[in-house]
Amino acid sequence: MEKMAELLFMILPALLAAAGLTGLGLGAALLMFPDQIGKWGKRLETPFTSERFIYRHNRFFGLFLLAGGAFALLKIGASIAAGYRAHLAGGPVFESLMDASLIFLLLGNLGAMMIGAIVWIRPSHLKGWEIHVNHWVSTRRSPPDQAPLASRIDRHVLVFPRTAGAFFILAGLYLLASATMMNFA
């Protein structure tokens, strides 16, 4: 249990710092460009199609996925298997977690290698999958049988972007201060 707490206290300050920096960036953007918030939402709502580019350069992307999956499978998988087993050998919970992560890594990299081989050799086999995978879900326009996704907080940010920006900056500073205090404690 001590190893788990030690690992958590190593990861938590980094996550807090990342969230704090994100809050600072978002808050500064809302303060400096409050009239652009509607355009940001529209840009995020616009689907971007990359299939044409990937099919045009299928050999490069296929080899990239195949080599990346093989590299991760061999190098990262071997280092995780050797290093973490020695470092975290602390009980059945850690062993189960390590086994699950190794299985997830194995299956994910084998899947990436399989898709890379398909893209490299015959990308037309992926056309059937694209029909099922490329469904665009709009967060602004909810289906009629569901409640609208825009909540009071979303409307408040749209109406008062500078107030929301100041709140994000204060929250980001608080998270950064918390991460700093955790590192020095």
Side-chain angles (χ1 to χ4, degrees), residues 23-38:
L24 284 176
L26 182 61
L30 284 172
L31 283 176
M32 292 188 320
F33 310 109
D35 54 339
Q36 298 290 323
I37 192 166

Side-chain angles (χ1 to χ4, degrees), residues 125-137:
H125 285 325
L126 295 177
K127 291 268 187 195
W129 288 0
E130 284 179 18
I131 295 169
H132 300 293
V133 174
N134 286 342
H135 291 284
W136 183 255
V137 178

Side-chain angles (χ1 to χ4, degrees), residues 17-174:
L21 289 174
T22 302
L24 284 176
L26 182 61
L30 284 172
L31 283 176
M32 292 188 320
F33 310 109
D35 54 339
Q36 298 290 323
I37 192 166
K39 292 179 184 177
W40 295 343
K42 288 179 185 175
R43 282 190 200 137
L44 291 174
E45 287 282 323
T46 305
F48 175 73
T49 59
S50 60
E51 291 89 6
R52 183 181 226 176
F53 183 75
I54 291 175
Y55 285 138
R56 190 175 298 151
H57 306 289
N58 68 322
R59 301 224 186 258
F60 170 74
F61 284 109
L63 281 174
F64 182 74
L65 283 172
L66 192 62
F71 175 78
L73 188 66
L74 295 174
K75 295 291 184 181
I76 298 171
S79 67
I80 284 177
Y84 279 129
R85 285 231 185 249
H87 180 66
L88 295 177
V93 174
F94 289 115
E95 287 183 23
S96 299
L97 181 65
M98 194 50 55
D99 291 340
S101 63
L102 286 175
I103 290 171
F104 181 75
L105 181 69
L106 175 72
L107 293 176
N109 288 318
L110 287 175
M113 290 172 61
M114 181 185 74
I115 290 174
I118 291 171
V119 168
W120 182 39
I121 296 170
R122 190 169 301 251
S124 61
H125 285 325
L126 295 177
K127 291 268 187 195
W129 288 0
E130 284 179 18
I131 295 169
H132 300 293
V133 174
N134 286 342
H135 291 284
W136 183 255
V137 178
S138 174
T139 56
R140 289 181 187 241
R141 295 182 209 109
S142 60
D145 60 337
Q146 294 180 358
L149 295 176
S151 67
R152 291 182 197 169
I153 297 173
D154 294 338
R155 283 184 286 235
H156 180 75
V157 171
L158 287 172
V159 174
F160 304 107
R162 290 182 192 256
T163 305
F167 175 76
F168 280 122
I169 287 176
L170 289 174
L173 288 172
Y174 176 76

